[in-house]
Amino acid sequence: YLDHEVMGFGIFASGTPPVTVTLDPAYVRACRVLHLHRWLAYNEEKYIGGCIESILAHKPANLKEIIVVDNASTDRTAEAASSSPLVRVVREPKKGITWARQRGIREAKGDIIAFVDADSRVAKDWFDVINREFAANPSLACLSGPCTYYDLSAAKKAVTWAYWTLLAMPVYFLTRAMVLGSNFAAKKSVLQAIGGFDTTIAFFGEDTDIARRLKPLGKVKFTPKLMQTTSARRLLREGMAATGVVYVANFLSVCLLHRPVTRQYRDIR
């Protein structure tokens, strides 16, 4: 690592370790340290390689480390993630997305931590958007954005586009607090100030809870500029309408009652 002005990146998949990226001062400018992590990886040996490949394909010249949090995987996730010398795998034995992300925060050495899921693919300008937004906005606590799906039909992609454009964005403009857990970056200092993730939340609503608790400490920005592609396996397995209802219900419950309404979830692999 450099002594200062570091960017780190991490990957999460129940059973997958986080990723750390280090940048030089000239690149990060106003952001002294940027640390990106992919935290949750559980039995993601089929997907984790593609995620890491996308990171390496679009990495800045000074990318130093990728940290993957192996969240109690029973397959070869850790081995698949270790294909590059830039990857450091960390094992978190307590299974769960919030436990994995908490471990990622503890491991991170940078000032800014970014989160992405094992089945996601970062866009060509993903790193540039994160660096630019944090450098231009000193009060920015958290940056997030929507996603598109690489394994949906064109018609179903249009439905998800309408969801983000006609529902999610207007709600964000009203609440000014929205985060997509598989696609966001936040200052480590503010994450530590709120105690990180609420480990009593099993799955649904953990990202809304983070957005809600970060908002008093700084700006939470949700922008289509930070776009990411990911797998639609949960939408396809559980149904788009049913999944949408579950996410909306938990978003409202966390915003209004400060707790999710759904306690159980299925691992979709």
Side-chain angles (χ1 to χ4, degrees):
Y1 287 91
L2 301 172
D3 291 334
H4 57 289
E5 323 248 338
V6 179
M7 174 181 185
F9 176 85
I11 301 174
F12 292 100
S14 296
T16 307
V19 177
T20 300
V21 177
T22 302
L23 302 180
D24 63 26
Y27 193 92
V28 182
R29 298 176 184 166
C31 297
R32 280 195 318 128
V33 181
L34 181 58
H35 201 115
L36 296 86
H37 284 275
R38 172 169 179 82
W39 300 127
L40 179 61
Y42 170 71
N43 290 354
E44 295 284 11
E45 65 174 299
K46 291 194 239 179
Y47 289 92
I48 190 66
C51 178
I52 293 174
E53 286 176 7
S54 75
I55 295 167
L56 296 176
H58 305 311
K59 73 182 188 300
N62 46 2
L63 171 65
K64 297 299 181 182
E65 185 180 24
I66 297 172
I67 300 172
V68 178
V69 177
D70 184 348
N71 190 210
S73 291
T74 59
D75 66 355
R76 300 183 68 257
T77 293
E79 290 87 342
S82 302
S83 58
S84 169
L86 288 175
V87 176
R88 177 163 67 95
V89 176
V90 178
R91 185 169 178 80
E92 171 50 58
K94 292 183 179 179
K95 186 175 178 297
I97 190 170
T98 50
W99 285 107
R101 287 181 174 164
Q102 278 295 84
R103 179 60 184 270
I105 294 173
R106 293 200 304 270
E107 293 289 333
K109 297 179 176 67
D111 289 339
I112 298 173
I113 303 175
F115 301 79
V116 60
D117 283 350
D119 57 356
S120 297
R121 308 291 183 264
V122 302
K124 182 178 181 180
D125 63 347
W126 195 75
F127 289 102
D128 293 335
V129 172
I130 292 174
N131 281 312
R132 184 169 62 248
E133 291 288 343
F134 277 97
N137 301 283
S139 64
L140 185 63
C142 178
L143 178 70
S144 186
C147 67
T148 186
Y149 300 94
Y150 52 74
D151 47 3
L152 276 185
S153 66
K156 290 182 177 179
K157 284 181 180 179
V159 173
T160 61
W161 176 88
Y163 169 84
W164 290 117
T165 305
L166 303 178
L167 179 61
M169 289 307 301
V171 170
Y172 165 69
F173 289 130
L174 288 173
T175 63
R176 295 295 174 179
M178 181 174 288
V179 163
L180 177 63
S182 63
N183 183 28
F184 80 99
K187 290 179 179 176
K188 183 177 181 179
S189 60
V190 295
L191 289 171
Q192 290 175 322
I194 65 171
F197 289 85
D198 182 350
T199 54
T200 66
I201 297 177
F203 186 81
F204 293 106
E206 46 83 29
D207 44 10
T208 302
D209 180 70
I210 277 289
R212 177 185 66 82
R213 292 190 290 128
L214 286 178
K215 184 180 177 181
L217 301 184
K219 183 177 182 180
V220 176
K221 184 174 182 178
F222 191 86
T223 172
K225 293 179 182 178
L226 193 70
M227 180 63 73
Q228 180 192 93
T229 59
T230 191
S231 173
R233 51 186 169 167
R234 184 170 296 276
L235 297 180
L236 295 171
R237 188 78 61 86
E238 299 190 335
M240 292 184 65
T243 303
V245 168
V246 169
Y247 275 103
V248 170
N250 282 281
F251 176 86
L252 294 173
S253 181
V254 172
C255 286
L256 299 175
L257 304 177
H258 300 175
R259 64 178 184 273
V261 68
T262 305
R263 300 290 182 176
Q264 303 297 321
Y265 72 97
R266 287 197 303 161
D267 289 320
I268 305 294
R269 296 296 179 267

